[in-house]
Amino acid sequence: RRHAGMSFFQEGARKATEDKLVNTPDNLDGISSISWSPRKNLLVASSWDSRVMCWEISSRGESQPKAFINHDGPVLCTAFSGDGTRVFSGGVDTFGKMWVLGQNKPSNVAKHDSPIRHIRYCPEFNILATGGWDKKVLYWDLRQQKPALTMKLPERCYAMDSLGNLLVVGCAGRDVCIYDLKTPNRLHKSERSTLKNQIRCVKCFPNTAGYAAGSICGRVSISYLRSMDEKKNFMFKCHRHRLPNDSSTSQVYAINSIEFHPRGTFATAGSDGQFVFWDKDSRQRLKKFEPRFKNSISCAGFNGDGSIFAYAVSYDWSQGMSNYKDRTNKIYLHAVKPGEVAPQRRR
């Protein structure tokens, strides 16, 4: 279902410099996650200064702050419920919170022994899944105080996504754990990522036939789950830039976010401050947007109908303290043009 009237730029607009700025607080710390409501244009973001914030996005691309809540430490992840009425968040305080929008009185609904790195609501099964640095994935029935199920991971949870009955977890050490939520009490598949370095993000295909993963070394892997489809697996390099004085050497940047569009194409966003649209089926780059700031894009996401791409310009610490120069922490909205995300025929 398409949200009406979201073409808030002229049709010819193509540059990221024309993207709309979200009305974020001036004193905002690093932005750690972005989530869209599946029902309407409500945007939620979390930050390292313990805040979870919500905005309503108008048909003109204007952002109206609605409310915010606080954790007792940096917040690392957010997710919406299937009906869009509740927001879930987790972070360094080791608690997962549920925020019923309009009430502003969050309640604790999950607990780990270490920080919660990722949180996902699985509407088909009415469960909340949390992945932590305590090497566990916990499933929560929100009517109970204790986890309904505990699954041990080989290492800390660094990346996680779910869609339908598929849950994919990327761990420290490049292990990938795949679960079928129809039988959540057993590991469906475990594999070693083909990426040469640490996994930074994972995202399920819209048809749940596989997943994409991004690493700290400027690589993305496309992986299918069924053995008969493994011949379609591939990996490619991206978010790399030639050094100005040495054309044979590239500066490599981390892939911080992979987000699929409803049409099946996808976006990557990296620590180079750039986002790029791709078509995995034709193995083509669709559109590259030049960096607007000398800063990272820490997280990103398409809204429910894919007409808006939100991205956070915020340092991700991938280059250490010495590169902490641009202290911008802002969220921008890009009006997605149909041609930017249209699948292409394979050459």
Side-chain angles (χ1 to χ4, degrees):
R1 182 174 62 88
R2 186 168 182 83
H3 302 297
M6 292 314 300
S7 57
F8 45 82
F9 308 121
Q10 293 181 355
E11 188 62 29
R14 287 296 185 272
K15 297 180 180 179
T17 54
E18 298 169 336
D19 294 347
K20 290 269 190 170
L21 175 64
V22 172
N23 187 12
T24 50
D26 291 335
N27 62 345
L28 187 63
D29 203 345
I31 302 167
S32 54
S33 76
I34 284 176
S35 297
W36 284 97
S37 167
R39 299 295 183 184
K40 53 185 178 180
N41 282 319
L42 291 177
L43 177 68
V44 159
S46 61
S47 64
W48 280 81
D49 56 6
S50 308
R51 283 185 277 192
V52 180
M53 300 151 286
C54 180
W55 297 267
E56 184 174 6
I57 309 302
S58 75
S59 60
R60 297 173 60 87
E62 297 167 346
S63 54
Q64 178 64 42
K66 301 297 291 184
F68 72 93
I69 63 168
N70 287 104
H71 277 244
D72 291 327
V75 189
L76 303 179
C77 52
T78 53
F80 270 91
S81 61
D83 61 5
T85 62
R86 295 168 292 171
V87 173
F88 302 96
S89 53
V92 174
D93 62 5
T94 72
F95 284 98
K97 292 184 181 292
M98 181 178 70
W99 173 19
V100 179
L101 295 177
Q103 295 187 7
N104 298 332
K105 294 182 179 179
S107 57
N108 293 333
V109 294
K111 178 70 170 71
H112 277 250
D113 297 326
S114 295
I116 296 175
R117 180 62 186 91
H118 286 281
I119 194 164
R120 297 290 301 172
Y121 186 76
C122 309
E124 293 84 355
F125 303 92
N126 293 318
I127 60 171
L128 183 71
T130 54
W133 288 344
D134 55 2
K135 305 180 185 179
K136 296 176 185 176
V137 168
L138 303 181
Y139 299 105
W140 302 88
D141 180 336
L142 299 178
R143 299 166 297 183
Q144 303 174 4
Q145 293 185 343
K146 294 183 178 181
L149 191 62
T150 299
M151 299 299 293
K152 293 183 179 180
L153 299 172
E155 250 295 352
R156 290 154 291 169
C157 171
Y158 276 8
M160 189 171 82
D161 189 39
S162 68
L163 185 64
N165 64 306
L166 176 63
L167 178 75
V168 180
V169 183
C171 300
R174 295 169 46 222
D175 287 307
V176 178
C177 297
I178 301 164
Y179 300 90
D180 183 344
L181 294 178
K182 293 179 181 178
T183 54
N185 60 334
R186 64 185 180 88
L187 180 64
H188 176 70
K189 187 179 182 181
S190 178
E191 56 191 24
R192 190 79 164 173
S193 173
T194 56
L195 296 169
K196 295 181 179 181
N197 296 90
Q198 181 61 56
I199 296 171
R200 193 65 166 255
C201 53
V202 297
K203 199 69 178 180
C204 301
F205 295 171
N207 63 1
T208 69
Y211 66 94
S215 77
I216 62 172
C217 64
R219 284 185 172 90
V220 171
S221 64
I222 301 296
S223 302
Y224 288 81
L225 299 180
R226 298 192 305 175
S227 57
M228 62 183 295
D229 293 328
E230 287 182 354
K231 61 181 181 295
K232 296 189 287 186
N233 292 354
F234 69 98
M235 182 171 57
F236 65 95
K237 298 176 183 180
C238 54
H239 295 272
R240 296 166 176 236
H241 301 274
R242 296 288 186 187
L243 296 180
N245 299 321
D246 184 359
S247 61
S248 64
T249 304
S250 294
Q251 176 71 45
V252 178
Y253 295 89
I255 312 297
N256 290 330
S257 186
I258 297 175
E259 300 294 330
F260 275 92
H261 188 270
R263 300 188 68 178
T265 52
F266 68 97
T268 59
S271 60
D272 57 349
Q274 189 173 70
F275 62 95
V276 187
F277 294 164
W278 309 87
D279 183 352
K280 68 175 176 60
D281 296 326
S282 66
R283 302 191 182 188
Q284 295 183 52
R285 185 179 68 194
L286 301 177
K287 183 70 178 179
K288 180 173 68 172
F289 299 85
E290 294 303 324
R292 181 173 181 179
F293 300 97
K294 294 181 179 180
N295 202 351
S296 311
I297 295 179
S298 59
C299 49
F302 289 103
N303 69 334
D305 67 0
S307 61
I308 310 174
F309 182 70
Y311 58 96
V313 177
S314 184
Y315 188 50
D316 63 357
W317 296 98
S318 61
Q319 303 293 324
M321 184 65 190
S322 60
N323 280 305
Y324 185 38
K325 299 172 184 177
D326 186 341
R327 305 198 176 192
T328 300
N329 293 296
K330 298 291 184 181
I331 300 172
Y332 289 87
L333 304 176
H334 174 75
V336 179
K337 312 303 184 294
E340 295 173 351
V341 292
Q344 302 294 310
R345 290 184 179 180
R346 188 165 184 176
R347 296 169 182 169

